[in-house]
Amino acid sequence: MENADEPDVGVLDEALLRVVARRLGQLTIVERVSVFPSAKPESVVAQFATEYYPQQVETVTLELRTYVGGDFSVSYREEWGGGSWMSRWDRHDNPHNTRDHFHHPPDAGTEDAVDRAYPVDFLKMIEVVLQDIDDRIGEVWGDAR
C-alpha cells in the first residue's frame, strides 16, 4: 500500500513492530501476520479473516510501519471485486497537514487528509486503529443489507 506522498522518515523500529505483530496475531479477526515480507520489507502486514465481512469483500489487509522517533504509517485496505476501500493514519512531517493526520476513505489520498491528534505510544495508536476498523466492519455490514 505504498503511497508516493509517504516520505522516508528514518530508522524502522523493528522491535516495536515485532511486538505489534505478536499482538495482532492473537486477535481472532487476524488470519495471518507477515513480519517484514519481501514485498513490504519495512512493514508488518496483517491479513484479516474475511468471514467477519460480507461476501463481497475479497481481502482485507492492515499494513503498519513505525520508526524510531515516533513517526508511523498505518494503512487499512479492503478489496471488493475489482475495487478497493482504503484509509490511512499517519504521523510524519509533510507539506499537506499537521504531523498527525488521517487520510479518509475510500482512496486515502493526500487530498483526503485531515488533521488529527494521536497517542504518543504506538501501541495505544494501534488501539485507535482497531477501534476504527471495528466501526468500519459495522458500517460494511450495514451497507450490505
Side-chain angles (χ1 to χ4, degrees):
M1 288 172 252
E2 247 174 63
N3 195 311
D5 67 335
E6 287 183 18
D8 178 19
V9 290
V11 177
L12 197 65
D13 192 335
E14 292 183 20
L16 181 53
L17 282 169
R18 289 181 195 284
V19 168
V20 170
R22 276 193 304 278
R23 290 187 180 185
L24 286 173
Q26 295 171 349
L27 301 175
T28 56
I29 195 169
V30 174
E31 190 170 275
R32 178 178 60 254
V33 178
S34 301
V35 179
F36 314 129
S38 59
K40 303 278 186 176
E42 291 192 346
S43 301
V44 165
V45 180
Q47 186 79 33
F48 282 42
T50 55
E51 65 252 21
Y52 290 91
Y53 294 82
Q55 187 174 4
Q56 305 92 310
V57 178
E58 297 170 349
T59 61
V60 179
T61 55
L62 182 66
E63 180 182 342
L64 307 100
R65 296 179 186 175
T66 190
Y67 300 88
V68 173
D71 287 355
F72 63 79
S73 181
V74 179
S75 300
Y76 171 83
R77 183 183 195 103
E78 300 168 359
E79 293 295 333
W80 290 66
S84 64
W85 189 98
M86 183 177 170
S87 56
R88 195 171 82 230
W89 302 258
D90 285 329
R91 174 177 290 141
H92 61 87
D93 290 329
N94 65 84
H96 58 79
N97 286 85
T98 59
R99 284 180 47 76
D100 288 8
H101 56 281
F102 176 73
H103 294 266
H104 274 280
D107 300 319
T110 301
E111 64 282 353
D112 302 318
V114 295
D115 296 345
R116 289 275 174 94
Y118 297 131
V120 173
D121 182 341
F122 189 65
L123 295 176
K124 295 283 186 201
M125 182 59 213
I126 298 307
E127 291 176 17
V128 170
V129 169
L130 292 173
Q131 182 58 60
D132 286 353
I133 292 170
D134 188 56
D135 293 346
R136 171 61 183 161
I137 292 169
E139 291 171 14
V140 170
W141 280 104
D143 293 346
R145 293 183 187 148

